[in-house]
Amino acid sequence: MKSSQISNIVLALAVLVLAVQLGMRKLNNKPQEVKIVKEKEMTNNTLDIIHKRKSVRNFSNQKVSKEQLETIIKAGMAAPTAVNMQPWAFIAIDDRAMLDKLSEGLPYAKMLSTAQAAIVVCGDLNKAYEPRPEYWIQDCSAATENILLATEALGLGAVWTAVYPEEDRMAFVKKELNLPDHIIALNVIPLGHPTGKDHPKDKWKPENLHWGKW
């Protein structure tokens, strides 16, 4: 065999090996590329939900399922909490009579009369962080924001209506929901399928942002 033929064969084999290596590299990189794309999509979707969230006070008569309520409350329990004490408890309500009763007794939760469900976010003082038991308020507030965002993500609507620290509202909710002394209602969140009447507000104000120091 001539040396030129040998050279051609060697060159052909080198090209073949290079092509195989490039092909394997593409295959190895593809999952990473897909992962990066999915992470970007997830990030964009999360930010979109945050900016689309609004206080919904107008609901249709479409029901909210127990599965949806559980999914929403699970998101609430994923919130940050001081020393991981998780000093919270949640009451999911879908009974029409109870929703109407709460609507009658809470001055700023009249939309409960048309909401198909509600979540009551409570602080559990038996689980509170001992040096600073009042941290339950921040912890339950963080859980509430998760609940509002999860509700938006599911295509539902909700609004935060305050109970704590208004003594009359706290007493009313405690009586109607049979809350023990160590459980304090922070808020009642009416929720359901929005009619489309409520819209998000643009709250971005550059003057409220300070870089480095005031």
Side-chain angles (χ1 to χ4, degrees):
M1 184 178 292
K2 295 180 179 180
S3 59
S4 59
Q5 290 175 321
I6 295 173
S7 298
N8 289 337
I9 291 172
V10 172
L11 180 60
L13 288 173
V15 170
L16 179 61
V17 170
L18 180 60
V20 170
Q21 288 177 339
L22 288 173
M24 292 300 294
R25 188 175 299 172
K26 286 182 179 180
L27 287 174
N28 290 334
N29 288 340
K30 190 172 181 181
Q32 181 65 20
E33 291 172 0
V34 170
K35 182 181 179 181
I36 291 172
V37 169
K38 285 183 177 179
E39 287 177 351
K40 286 182 178 178
E41 288 176 353
M42 184 179 295
T43 300
N44 292 339
N45 186 47
T46 300
L47 291 173
D48 189 48
I49 290 167
I50 289 172
H51 290 294
K52 282 185 175 179
R53 190 215 61 80
K54 61 269 185 190
S55 294
V56 174
R57 296 177 173 85
N58 298 277
F59 304 99
S60 73
N61 58 7
Q62 186 176 350
K63 298 293 184 183
V64 176
S65 70
K66 282 184 168 57
E67 289 76 17
Q68 288 174 315
L69 289 171
E70 186 172 303
T71 296
I72 292 167
I73 293 172
K74 186 177 180 180
M77 292 185 188
T81 164
V83 201
N84 195 33
M85 297 303 292
Q86 304 175 37
W88 47 47
F90 306 87
I91 302 172
I93 302 169
D94 59 3
D95 176 67
R96 182 73 268 155
M98 180 56 74
L99 292 170
D100 290 341
K101 185 173 289 187
L102 291 175
S103 172
E104 293 168 4
L106 295 171
Y108 296 99
K110 299 304 181 187
M111 71 290 295
L112 282 165
S113 63
T114 58
Q116 295 301 310
I119 295 172
V120 183
V121 181
C122 303
D124 185 342
L125 298 184
N126 284 349
K127 297 178 183 177
Y129 180 48
E130 276 300 328
R132 293 290 184 184
E134 65 273 16
Y135 280 1
W136 75 265
I137 302 168
Q138 289 95 317
D139 293 346
C140 289
S141 294
T144 297
E145 182 64 12
N146 274 18
I147 285 171
L148 297 175
L149 292 174
T151 301
E152 182 71 34
L154 292 178
L156 301 172
V159 58
W160 181 335
T161 69
V163 175
Y164 180 89
E166 304 297 332
E167 294 291 344
D168 56 338
R169 300 181 206 175
M170 292 166 61
F172 172 75
V173 172
K174 179 179 180 179
K175 177 178 179 294
E176 295 302 327
L177 298 182
N178 196 32
L179 303 181
D181 290 339
H182 65 281
I183 299 295
I184 302 175
L186 177 70
N187 57 48
V188 174
I189 305 173
L191 61 88
H193 291 266
T195 62
K197 186 176 180 180
D198 303 290
H199 302 283
K201 297 178 177 68
D202 183 2
K203 299 179 181 179
W204 164 243
K205 293 182 179 178
E207 63 269 25
N208 289 334
L209 171 61
H210 305 272
W211 293 95
K213 60 181 181 180
W214 193 268

